[in-house]
Amino acid sequence: MQFTSTPRGARLARRLVSHRLDAWGHPYASPANETVTLIAAELTANAVQHGHVPGRDFHLRLAEAEDGTLRVEVTDTRTERRPVAATPAPDGESGRGLLLVDALADDWGVLPRPTGPGKTVWAECAPPPEPPVPTPGLPRTRRSAPTPRQDPASREA
């Protein structure tokens, strides 16, 4: 999806990610939803702050692979400013976004934009672990029914 390269565009992109993940069976308060939404917030904020070219928008892509891996991609049109996770000054007010992405994502990186100037910053999160199988004879807690899931191979926003 395409968003204006403004703080409002970044906020709308973050909200879209959270809503889409909820629709895909990752509820709002789940670790997967909260983690991927935070990663998307950092990547879109960076696209607005560091990748902004006047008159150009940024693009967001969210996908879930068949194995449950969630991938966020944010593309902007600024080629010369590639993100680097560096240690910020202790009293600095910025510079920690990619450190968060590095800590939360299982993998992330930067690719050149294939269709023109710019770059795509991506991050992936492995699927959440399967819930433990109950041991026979032990009391079980009551859980709500799982949300029906779409075919993961077809999930993309």
Side-chain angles (χ1 to χ4, degrees):
M1 301 218 39
Q2 183 173 328
F3 296 90
T4 59
S5 191
T6 63
R8 181 176 185 267
R11 184 175 58 252
L12 291 172
R14 174 183 50 82
R15 292 186 68 187
L16 172 79
V17 166
S18 183
H19 289 304
R20 189 60 52 98
L21 289 170
D22 180 65
W24 288 352
H26 303 284
Y28 293 112
S30 70
N33 191 308
E34 289 179 347
T35 300
V36 174
T37 299
L38 179 55
I39 290 170
E42 293 299 337
L43 296 182
T44 58
N46 283 351
V48 169
Q49 186 174 5
H50 305 293
H52 175 70
V53 173
R56 300 290 175 110
D57 297 334
F58 71 88
H59 295 261
L60 170 94
R61 181 176 173 266
L62 176 66
E64 184 173 20
E66 288 184 33
D67 69 355
T69 298
L70 296 167
R71 182 178 174 105
V72 179
E73 297 178 357
V74 177
T75 303
D76 64 53
T77 54
R78 195 93 183 246
T79 304
E80 71 279 4
R81 297 187 82 181
R82 296 179 64 87
V84 178
T87 304
D91 58 347
E93 293 183 12
S94 63
R96 291 171 178 81
L98 286 178
L99 294 176
L100 283 172
V101 171
D102 190 51
L104 295 172
D106 292 306
D107 197 11
W108 72 278
V110 184
L111 299 169
R113 186 174 174 207
T115 59
K119 64 191 169 298
T120 298
V121 183
W122 59 270
E124 290 183 340
C125 292
E130 292 292 323
V133 177
T135 305
L138 294 178
R140 296 179 7 183
T141 57
R142 187 170 178 86
R143 297 187 323 196
S144 59
T147 306
R149 296 179 60 119
Q150 301 170 351
D151 176 26
S154 67
R155 292 184 189 181
E156 189 171 313

